[in-house]
Amino acid sequence: MALPNLSEWHVELLRITAFLQFNDRAKEETWWQQLFGNPPETRTVRANEGLLQDEGPFFDGKLTMAVRPGRIDWVWSVNPVIPLQNTTPPSLGNLTETTEQFKSKLAEWLGLAPPIARLAFGAILDMPVPGKIEAYKLLQMYLPAVKLFPENSSDFTYQINRPILSEVVQGYRINRLNKWAAIRATIMGLREGGQMVRNELFAARLEIDANTELEAAIPIPKEKNLPLLVELISAAHDIASKGDQPQ
């Protein structure tokens, strides 16, 4: 049986992380304004931690920029408020469209960033299903090296790293961590009149972290930042479209 189309994965979160070469700071207080043309909705500064965090709306979700010594995270996440009528987990949209939107916006920032030693792309994806058994059957399709028994299995998680060599930066290895699970979420609330409502959501979940290896001895050339990010996103798409493929 063919695997579902890549666009059937619903995105709960996308993340781009840059680990800096020299713990540099580079006018991060101006980055949000430069990218969006307006100040962030909220800004948090904790000088004792060296933290600057900006937040604001981005399409149907929330975008957060967190700058710490040696590390910068851009995280696009769903609205934490889930409507009672939802029959699927909250989502930013499908994987194909959202990664393109995220990449397009952050491409400009990669040109502003200080020297980067490591780059990472992360994603949390859900594929909604009617129930628990269907979630396990779907996971079995993506995990040919694992034997699951959908009717008699529970609390399953599977995590593995399948590294590959970068085609963008010679000598770099790309880690491709992928974690699989079946999830069940319960939404509870009150309708008008005080009636208690309970709604259960089921999905197969995939968490991906594609990143350049810690041991890399050379910094990433600035002109390679965007091509390398595209390569990391492609690695994530490959996992989401083909599942775990033993070498």
Side-chain angles (χ1 to χ4, degrees):
M1 184 181 296
L3 290 171
N5 189 278
L6 186 64
S7 63
E8 294 190 40
W9 284 107
H10 293 208
V11 177
E12 184 174 321
L13 177 147
L14 295 177
R15 171 182 54 82
I16 292 172
T17 299
F19 297 92
L20 305 185
Q21 186 182 4
F22 301 117
N23 284 348
D24 285 349
R25 308 301 284 253
K27 297 184 178 180
E28 61 268 14
E29 67 276 1
T30 68
W31 287 341
W32 192 281
Q33 181 81 35
Q34 288 180 267
L35 261 62
F36 293 96
N38 51 266
E41 189 172 74
T42 63
R43 167 167 286 179
T44 303
V45 177
R46 293 201 286 270
N48 60 325
E49 300 176 23
L51 171 70
L52 171 73
Q53 181 170 293
D54 288 346
E55 292 186 344
F58 186 61
F59 290 91
D60 292 331
K62 177 182 71 173
L63 185 64
T64 302
M65 180 196 76
V67 182
R68 298 175 177 83
R71 175 172 176 156
I72 302 162
D73 291 286
W74 288 90
V75 179
W76 183 18
S77 57
V78 296
N79 190 324
V81 178
I82 306 174
L84 285 174
Q85 66 269 24
N86 266 34
T87 58
T88 60
S91 171
L92 296 170
N94 74 62
L95 179 59
T96 308
E97 293 177 356
T98 54
T99 49
E100 180 58 32
Q101 291 164 341
F102 198 40
K103 175 182 70 69
S104 296
K105 177 54 68 175
L106 271 298
E108 181 181 348
W109 174 78
L110 286 172
L112 304 173
I116 295 173
R118 294 180 63 211
L119 193 62
F121 173 77
I124 299 178
L125 314 175
D126 297 316
M127 192 173 294
V129 291
K132 173 198 153 187
I133 291 177
E134 290 83 358
Y136 277 84
K137 288 181 177 178
L138 184 58
L139 288 171
Q140 182 66 86
M141 294 170 62
Y142 283 100
L143 302 172
V146 178
K147 180 60 178 175
L148 292 173
F149 300 90
E151 291 79 9
N152 299 308
S153 298
S154 65
D155 303 308
F156 171 79
T157 58
Y158 175 83
Q159 179 173 315
I160 197 165
N161 181 21
R162 304 282 189 189
I164 58 173
L165 291 176
S166 172
E167 296 181 0
V168 172
V169 183
Q170 187 175 6
Y172 263 55
R173 189 177 74 164
I174 294 175
N175 294 311
R176 302 186 308 155
L177 290 94
N178 50 111
K179 181 178 180 180
W180 304 79
I183 65 167
R184 179 177 69 180
T186 302
I187 303 174
M188 299 182 68
L190 294 174
R191 291 192 188 278
E192 291 184 15
Q195 179 187 3
M196 177 65 73
V197 178
R198 177 185 174 120
N199 191 12
E200 286 194 326
L201 312 178
F202 296 87
R205 169 163 288 189
L206 170 59
E207 299 180 32
I208 301 172
D209 187 348
N211 61 80
T212 55
E213 64 179 343
L214 180 62
E215 294 80 7
I218 57 173
I220 301 170
K222 199 173 189 69
E223 68 274 10
K224 298 290 188 180
N225 282 345
L226 182 56
L228 185 57
L229 175 61
V230 171
E231 187 175 35
L232 296 176
I233 292 173
S234 177
H237 281 195
D238 191 60
I239 294 168
S241 63
K242 300 176 183 177
D244 177 48
Q245 298 293 316
Q247 300 296 322

